[in-house]
Amino acid sequence: MEQLQAFWSGLPDLSGIVIHFGVTLAILVIGWAVSNLLGRWMRHIADRSARIDPTIVPMIRSVTVWAVRIVVLLAVLARLGVQTASLVAMLGASALAIGLALQGTLQNFAAGIMLLVLRPVRAGEFVSIGSQGSGTVDEIGLFMTRFVQVDGIQILLPNTLVWGSPITNYSRNKTRRLDIMLGVRYDDDLEAALATLRSLIDRHDDILADPAPQVMVMEYRDSTIMVNVRAWALAEKYWDVYFDLQRRAPQALRQAGLRTPIPLREVQSIPVSSQKDKTVNA
């Protein structure tokens, strides 16, 4: 009996072990849930606030969530008896080795930081990225930027390609200028055509009065005088105004009695006898 009592007394306290592991598991679960809740809370606050640029929300959310998760994992390892100081040193050395092996990925990360700091593109803007394509910016992530083309196709570009390419931003300014070329026949009334087009753009509700719209003769072609209609509109209404003028301008010219310009060629007929006389004289 004495030996049996000594054996039982030498065993570890099972209840204490269970409680210890239960607390550790609770820290892990609660910390992971808190990180997810914090990420959703940040996105919710950004969606409701007009002062927060939606471009920076995905990256800040990811950094915040994973920062909380790393702290939680370190706390769990510390409760399990792991020496976190040596673990952090080992992770630092591993991170250095991984960073050297993944230089391209780190370049994408650095380019993403530059995109967020300087903000040449923002979420919701329509841009063209050099020869890579064009579309509306949907999200700038840690390593890639997501665009949605006008046909609904999604494009993912590494941040280095976005940062290292010429960026044409069509949405940054509030207004855009549109140019429409129209043809007038040489034998039609040019002044009537100019007056008709000026009246059309002056009566258009979505064309801005400042800068003032212009109707100008641009060039002379073989059978057509090219007239340029130049007007300004809000950036979000640019394509509506453009397509509307493309439809209404030719109709207005026809209603004013002007004909649609077509290519004309002058053909001269020389009698056969004249050709023979020229040949004999030669």
Side-chain angles (χ1 to χ4, degrees):
M1 292 296 295
E2 292 178 355
Q3 292 178 355
L4 184 60
Q5 291 178 356
F7 174 76
W8 282 109
S9 61
L11 291 176
D13 187 4
L14 294 179
S15 61
I17 294 176
V18 171
I19 293 174
H20 180 76
F21 277 101
V23 173
T24 303
L25 182 61
I27 292 174
L28 179 62
V29 173
I30 294 174
W32 211 268
V34 168
S35 68
N36 292 329
L37 289 174
L38 185 60
R40 287 196 292 268
W41 176 76
M42 291 185 62
R43 184 177 290 277
H44 179 69
I45 293 297
D47 292 339
R48 297 187 59 181
S49 176
R51 298 182 178 180
I52 300 177
D53 191 343
T55 307
I56 65 175
V57 174
M59 184 174 290
I60 293 180
R61 176 185 175 277
S62 299
V63 171
T64 304
V65 168
W66 282 104
V68 173
R69 290 178 179 178
I70 290 174
V71 172
V72 170
L73 291 175
L74 291 176
V76 169
L77 292 176
R79 285 195 59 87
L80 293 177
V82 179
Q83 296 296 327
T84 56
S86 59
L87 180 62
V88 169
M90 182 180 67
L91 289 176
S94 301
L96 179 60
I98 295 173
L100 293 175
L102 300 176
Q103 294 183 16
T105 303
L106 293 180
Q107 289 176 358
N108 287 325
F109 178 78
I113 296 298
M114 296 302 295
L115 290 173
L116 290 177
V117 172
L118 299 180
R119 295 193 292 182
V121 297
R122 298 175 183 173
E125 292 182 337
F126 186 85
V127 299
S128 176
I129 309 298
S131 60
Q132 308 299 326
S134 59
T136 302
V137 181
D138 185 48
E139 180 181 312
I140 299 177
L142 289 175
F143 304 104
M144 306 191 76
T145 301
R146 184 166 65 239
F147 301 88
V148 179
Q149 294 186 140
V150 292
D151 55 1
I153 297 177
Q154 187 180 103
I155 300 177
L156 287 173
L157 291 178
N159 288 336
T160 51
L161 287 181
V162 179
W163 177 251
S165 300
I167 299 175
T168 304
N169 196 321
Y170 296 96
S171 304
R172 183 61 57 90
N173 295 335
K174 293 182 179 180
T175 59
R176 284 185 63 183
R177 192 188 78 186
L178 57 94
D179 292 82
I180 296 177
M181 298 292 291
L182 297 164
V184 179
R185 288 191 177 191
Y186 280 104
D187 52 353
D188 279 344
D189 189 346
L190 178 60
E191 294 301 326
L194 297 177
T196 300
L197 294 174
R198 288 195 190 98
S199 176
L200 174 64
I201 61 178
D202 289 340
R203 290 183 285 105
H204 202 289
D205 295 333
D206 293 328
I207 292 180
L208 302 178
D210 185 23
Q214 296 174 293
V215 180
M216 305 166 291
V217 176
M218 293 296 292
E219 60 179 310
Y220 296 89
R221 297 182 181 175
D222 293 340
S223 58
T224 307
I225 302 174
M226 299 306 299
V227 177
N228 176 242
V229 177
R230 180 175 295 178
W232 290 80
L234 296 176
E236 61 268 20
K237 294 185 177 181
Y238 173 86
W239 289 111
D240 294 335
V241 176
Y242 180 85
F243 293 132
D244 187 55
L245 286 182
Q246 289 280 20
R247 177 180 61 86
R248 294 173 60 184
Q251 294 177 353
L253 292 178
R254 285 195 296 269
Q255 291 173 1
L258 302 172
R259 297 168 296 171
T260 302
I262 57 175
L264 298 176
R265 294 292 183 270
E266 183 177 350
V267 179
Q268 294 183 352
S269 177
I270 301 176
V272 178
S273 58
S274 299
Q275 290 283 2
K276 290 182 179 179
D277 294 339
K278 291 180 180 179
T279 304
V280 172
N281 294 332

